Amino acid sequence: MFIRCAFFKGQIKPGMEAAFHAHWQEHVLPHWQAFPHLLELRVMRDVESDDDDSRFPLVMAMTFAERAHIAEALASDTRWASKAASKPLIDMLDGHVIHTVFAADHFDPIG
């Protein structure tokens, strides 16, 4: 499995918190859900951190079966629509977005 994450690093601009979360839910999420070959989508919102200088108010994680599927998804029209829909979201962030691809192994808890 491969997981491509978008880490929204920084702080949501003051007074923009509700608009930020409404925007990704209403305008960006449908594009994220439409990526070809997507097996799972997780969107995580920052609740607390042990490092107030390095916050991630939003993290998006897309799971794909094969690395080649990520390349196909990134070459799709859906990606460009997603980028356009994300522009206002990024404008509400004092920070930037980092994209990282992980090779993932899954382990069940002992017990």
Side-chain angles (χ1 to χ4, degrees):
M1 295 289 208
F2 293 89
I3 301 173
R4 184 172 191 267
C5 294
F7 296 94
F8 291 75
K9 183 175 182 172
Q11 299 285 337
I12 300 169
K13 292 179 181 175
M16 304 288 299
E17 293 84 1
F20 180 90
H21 291 294
H23 185 82
W24 73 257
Q25 290 172 352
E26 296 169 19
H27 302 285
V28 184
L29 181 60
H31 298 291
W32 287 344
Q33 291 173 302
F35 270 83
H37 303 293
L38 181 67
L39 297 177
E40 181 182 64
L41 172 66
R42 288 185 186 246
V43 180
M44 296 159 278
R45 292 165 306 205
D46 184 344
V47 173
E48 64 182 73
S49 176
D50 61 358
D51 183 356
D52 281 335
D53 294 330
S54 189
R55 300 300 295 256
F56 298 91
L58 191 69
V59 175
M60 180 274 297
M62 292 180 171
T63 303
F64 297 88
E66 300 175 19
R67 180 76 199 267
H69 290 167
I70 295 174
E72 290 178 38
L74 295 179
S76 72
D77 291 339
T78 303
R79 181 195 189 187
W80 303 109
S82 171
K83 285 179 73 80
S86 296
K87 173 86 171 79
L89 186 67
I90 295 166
D91 290 342
M92 290 184 253
L93 183 70
D94 278 330
H96 60 281
V97 180
I98 303 163
H99 292 90
T100 304
V101 175
F102 296 94
D105 299 305
H106 177 85
F107 304 95
D108 291 323
I110 297 173

